[in-house]
Amino acid sequence: MPHPYVLLSAAVSLDGYLDDTGPERLLLSSPADFDRVDEVRASVDAILVGAGTIRADNPRLLVNSEERRAARTAAGKPEYPLKVTVSGTGDLDPDARFWHTGGEKVLYTTDQGAERARALGLATGVVPLGPDLDWRRLLTHLHDVRGVRRLMVEGGGLIHTQLLTQGLADELQLVLAPLFVGDPGAPRLFGPGGYQPGRLRLLETRRIEDVVLMRYEPTAPGTGPLPVAADHHWLALACALAEKCPPSDTAFSVGAVVVAADGTELARGHSREGGDPLVHAEEAALAKTDPADPRLAGATVYSSLEPCARRASRPAPCARLILDAGVRRVVTAWREPDTFVAGADGSGVLAAGGARVVVLPEHEERAKAPNRHLLG
């Protein structure tokens, strides 16, 4: 199901701590960076913190700039983003500043936690997620029910760890402060867990007074039927490649990317690439890979349109080329319509060959855009 774009935001010491163990909160950011955070808050639909952050820091989570709040209102948005927290127990202080400042608030909790929260009279909407906290269900609810398209997550470390290890974080904005904490009892940004393999992609570095902002996005594909954030990033690239195709009245415009399990891009291609009027996107991309590359067995092919099951212009359709290359996971935006081939079912061919097909329909409109003239 569609999720918001999830942006993790944190400031840490050089040795990776979020705070020290003193009675007052350790200020890691600079004044200019606090203003940057305020700007990011103003740009999102919701801000989320965990219950531990509310207990430890008693934050207000406001957009402090009057000009930015006015700009939100002028754009038809609420003055403040929705404030969101998560608690398994629902045991939160009803006098915390989180509940009594800013705009709307919502608490996601368990069935049992919802009973506790309602008994405490918390000034918020309460959404039970079942016997346990379920991040995918939470994000789907935010997207579908609350209309959240961009979600900023400001901690704490456990929340960040859970979202990263479950592949649900689209971006990490990390500020590095020039000091050390060195206290083993202090909270750290990330804990142990089953993180995805490979290196994150660096999107930006920026000096802000005496701190450094680093923005990263994950690159490693998912491994099963549930998509991870990187699957959306790579499929968006495939859709962008489809827009580069020379127009045609007799064939779809499609983009494709082949990505190894560690997030390394192995190849990319698009329909009619290189002036060949017959070449398909997956065919063009796979032709650039080494058939003996052992990484193909764990790779994912991202294709803006379901790989073809039948074609007259080549001996093998793209679904067969993918299987012959050893790839066993395909992510696509939409199923092939009957425009040129009746009963097209590349997904069926792939599944029969032992490959898993994941369809992400939230990318369908962009994938269709360069093909509108063919769809009526």
Side-chain angles (χ1 to χ4, degrees):
M1 299 296 291
H3 293 163
Y5 183 93
V6 177
L7 184 161
L8 307 186
S9 176
V12 295
S13 64
L14 290 174
D15 49 348
Y17 287 94
L18 289 166
D19 201 352
D20 58 19
T21 54
E24 300 295 328
R25 181 187 175 194
L26 177 65
L27 297 180
L28 294 164
S29 294
S30 66
D33 186 59
F34 284 125
D35 185 67
R36 178 196 64 83
V37 170
D38 194 66
E39 182 180 22
V40 177
R41 287 180 179 177
S43 73
V44 301
D45 302 305
I47 305 169
L48 183 150
V49 294
T53 299
I54 293 178
R55 297 184 187 108
D57 298 338
N58 196 21
R60 296 183 303 158
L61 296 181
L62 302 178
V63 175
N64 294 311
S65 165
E66 182 177 347
E67 292 78 8
R68 289 172 183 144
R69 296 199 306 271
R72 286 180 57 88
T73 303
K77 298 179 180 180
E79 183 179 11
Y80 294 99
L82 175 71
K83 297 202 299 187
V84 184
T85 190
V86 183
S87 170
T89 65
D91 188 8
L92 289 160
D93 182 359
D95 294 324
R97 293 188 296 183
F98 180 92
W99 315 114
H100 303 288
T101 56
E104 283 193 82
K105 298 93 182 171
V106 62
L107 165 65
Y108 288 94
T109 183
T110 60
D111 293 341
Q112 187 174 7
E115 296 179 9
R116 173 67 174 167
R118 288 170 180 142
L120 289 170
L122 298 179
T124 183
V126 178
V127 180
L129 297 173
D132 301 298
L133 292 175
D134 183 329
W135 278 106
R136 289 183 181 270
R137 186 175 176 187
L138 182 157
L139 293 174
T140 298
H141 188 276
L142 277 177
H143 183 279
D144 292 352
V145 178
R146 302 308 301 253
V148 173
R149 297 298 179 264
R150 288 182 63 84
L151 171 67
M152 182 181 186
V153 181
E154 295 199 38
L158 177 61
I159 300 294
H160 284 149
T161 298
Q162 290 175 343
L163 288 168
L164 271 175
T165 55
Q166 294 183 39
L168 297 174
D170 292 277
E171 180 181 337
L172 171 61
Q173 293 191 1
L174 181 64
V175 165
L176 193 61
L179 54 83
F180 294 92
V181 173
D183 185 341
R188 301 186 71 93
L189 175 56
F190 297 121
Y195 293 93
Q196 290 181 275
R199 302 169 72 90
L200 279 68
R201 178 182 295 110
L202 180 62
L203 301 175
E204 179 190 6
T205 59
R206 191 194 318 169
R207 178 178 176 177
I208 306 173
E209 294 179 338
D210 67 342
V211 304
V212 177
L213 167 68
M214 296 170 288
R215 294 176 53 231
Y216 290 95
E217 69 176 10
T219 62
T223 57
L226 295 177
V228 299
D231 288 329
H232 291 280
H233 298 171
W234 288 115
L235 188 55
L237 173 58
C239 293
L241 290 170
E243 296 168 0
K244 295 185 175 184
C245 299
S248 171
D249 292 328
T250 58
F252 289 112
S253 293
V254 182
V257 191
V258 185
V259 183
D262 66 354
T264 301
E265 180 181 330
L266 301 180
R268 63 175 69 181
H270 60 78
S271 304
R272 300 176 291 284
E273 183 176 321
D276 184 341
L278 301 179
V279 72
H280 286 195
E282 303 92 334
E283 177 187 16
L286 289 170
K288 299 170 188 172
T289 65
D290 180 355
D293 191 334
R295 295 175 296 178
L296 286 171
T300 295
V301 167
Y302 296 88
S303 180
S304 60
L305 175 65
E306 174 187 47
C308 63
R310 298 190 301 277
R311 62 189 295 192
S313 59
R314 292 284 199 266
C318 291
R320 175 48 53 191
L321 293 176
I322 291 169
L323 293 172
D324 290 346
V327 176
R328 291 297 178 266
R329 187 170 185 266
V330 176
V331 178
T332 185
W334 61 307
R335 302 291 298 272
E336 183 180 357
D338 293 345
T339 307
F340 302 115
V341 178
D345 187 19
S347 296
V349 173
L350 289 164
R356 186 186 301 277
V357 180
V358 180
V359 181
L360 302 182
E362 52 265 53
H363 297 268
E364 182 175 326
E365 288 306 309
R366 185 174 182 188
K368 285 181 174 179
N371 298 288
R372 288 294 178 198
H373 63 292
L374 300 173
L375 301 177

